[in-house]
Amino acid sequence: TSRRNRQPGLSTRAIHLGYDPATENGALTPPIYMTSTYAFETAEQGSELFRGERKGYIYGRTKNPTQTILEERIASLEGGETAIALGSGMAAISGTMLSLLDAGDEVVIDHTLYGNAYAYFTQALPRWGISVKLADFTRPETLEAALGPKTKLVYFETPANPNLRVIDIAAVAAIAHAHGAEVVVDNTFATPILQRPLEHGADIVLHSATKYIGGHGDVLAGLVVGRAETLQKVRQTGLRWVTGATLSPFNCFLLLRGLKTLELRVERHSSSAMKVARLLEGHAKVASVSYPGLESFAEHEIAKRQMSGFGGLISFELDGGMAEGMALMNRLELVTRAVSLGDAETLIQHPASMTHAIYSAEEREKHGISDGLLRLSVGLENVDDILDDLERALDSL
Ligand SMILES: C/C=C(/N=C/c1c(COP(=O)(O)O)cnc(C)c1O)C(=O)O
């Protein structure tokens, strides 16, 4: 397309969209509005704001000018109408579900989710009369079978935490929409740089912005993107009085800062992860490697079609299973033993006893989360240093 009518790129929008320094004394970076409440010029204007007859700010729990810029930017990057920032990824999930679901509703979830998301759906929602069914979303026929007349929405992650399973968003959306169910996708692992679920038919996309979007291991946050009408419900109920899980203006500033380099960082995470995956795939001590960029990866074809890169997460297992996996983790010197992901630091963790310990052993077995599985978040260090640390530790086993 000619230069004139092309939409600005992802990084250009992440750096500039929704903020004009001229409106803030020329300040190049958006001010942090550290205020919990806003003065009304007149009593009538206050009442009009509450009635929604006037645009403006009332109170920090649901809106803040720094937060507004962040919400406009992430909505643009994901290709959605509007977005909401919340206090964590779990707040984004619970704020959305508790706004959209009522007792008696059903949801269908993929069987591989982040541990606490899995617990939320299988242990929390049923307490409020919302029934949850599981299906293997990589096999659409099992999803079809799980959908019923009361299914309000389907929920999944792709790539999924922790084994990187890739799900065909468009295929799932076609089946869900045929049954009148909405599609909610957790896009934490890929980020809008590598995939935009709304473009494939999803209705809502959400993030643990704690990860790649913050990108520096220094903020916990969640983001939800979708149609204005749906998100209004999430803001006015899920955020405002169901969870009250407000994100601080300072943390909105940290996410705005992270967004500026998101594309750059995701490209580096991905290129380094490809090299690390190749090293692991070729090492005698490694029994299996799951990385969407490997030809050997089960859903490599879908990943190639659906994603513009393969991300920074790798999961793998050693011949010696869990015991050898724990030994490997303890012998690493640069790679850091820690949960979370998407940080500048390369992190390694053991899902079965850490992020997915909340699954029962049989659930883990059934859902492809083996006891020996390790999950590696490849960071931004010079890749040769990451490779050397892994190879030296592996060779020493
Ligand atoms: C320690 C946390 C990890 N993950 C979290 C997470 C959340 C929940 O996001 P908050 O942690 O509440 O921001 C939501 N969605 C996905 C795909 C996630 O991986 C972890 O796996 O290492």
Side-chain angles (χ1 to χ4, degrees), residues 50-312:
F50 267 88
R51 286 197 298 268
E53 291 161 12
R54 168 181 290 272
K55 282 182 71 63
Y57 293 86
I58 296 174
Y59 182 64
R61 183 168 342 103
T62 47
K63 272 176 72 176
N64 171 289
T66 314
Q67 181 175 333
T68 300
I69 301 169
L70 168 66
E71 291 171 346
E72 287 177 2
R73 279 188 190 168
I74 189 64
S76 171
L77 298 186
E78 286 284 4
E81 279 180 23
T82 56
I84 300 177
L86 297 101
S88 68
M90 288 313 304
I93 295 170
S94 58
T96 300
M97 294 306 145
L98 292 175
S99 304
L100 303 182
L101 300 172
D102 296 304
D105 286 344
E106 279 187 13
V107 299
V108 181
I109 62 171
D110 180 51
H111 59 43
T112 308
L113 299 177
Y114 163 58
N116 287 317
Y118 183 79
Y120 177 74
F121 283 102
T122 58
Q123 298 178 33
L125 284 185
R127 282 172 44 199
W128 292 300
I130 294 157
S131 58
V132 178
K133 288 190 177 158
L134 284 94
D136 175 353
F137 283 36
T138 60
R139 292 176 40 233
E141 64 282 2
T142 69
L143 169 61
E144 187 82 50
L147 286 161
K150 293 189 289 186
T151 309
K152 275 301 247 328
L153 61 90
V154 301
Y155 181 93
F156 61 101
E157 300 165 6
T158 182
N161 186 355
N163 54 23
L164 288 307
R165 271 163 74 253
V166 166
I167 289 164
D168 185 333
I169 301 167
V172 168
I175 295 168
H177 289 157
H179 285 74
E182 298 231 307
V183 179
V184 184
V185 182
D186 182 328
N187 198 28
T188 301
F189 275 35
T191 84
I193 304 301
L194 301 180
Q195 92 184 355
R196 292 166 294 284
L198 299 177
E199 292 175 359
H200 300 277
D203 299 290
I204 293 174
V205 64
L206 56 81
H207 288 272
S208 167
T210 308
K211 312 299 185 302
Y212 286 104
I213 291 174
H216 295 75
D218 56 9
V219 60
L220 283 154
L223 293 167
V224 186
V225 183
R227 283 186 295 277
E229 177 203 349
T230 310
L231 273 272
Q232 185 62 1
K233 260 190 261 178
V234 178
R235 188 184 302 277
Q236 293 309 334
T237 56
L239 172 59
R240 184 175 175 188
W241 34 263
V242 171
T243 67
T246 299
L247 186 62
S248 87
F250 183 72
N251 282 349
C252 292
F253 168 80
L254 287 178
L255 292 187
L256 281 168
R257 199 163 184 267
L259 275 180
K260 288 183 178 178
T261 58
L262 181 62
E263 185 170 33
L264 262 183
R265 292 185 283 105
V266 169
E267 284 167 2
R268 173 63 169 266
H269 286 292
S270 299
S271 62
S272 293
M274 194 70 230
K275 294 180 179 121
V276 171
R278 291 277 185 233
L279 168 86
L280 293 171
E281 196 179 41
H283 199 282
K285 291 276 177 56
V286 177
S288 66
V289 189
S290 292
Y291 181 64
L294 292 176
E295 298 74 14
S296 60
F297 183 71
E299 296 94 18
H300 178 62
E301 288 311 311
I302 299 175
K304 262 195 332 192
R305 191 174 71 239
Q306 189 164 269
M307 300 171 73
S308 58
F310 300 111

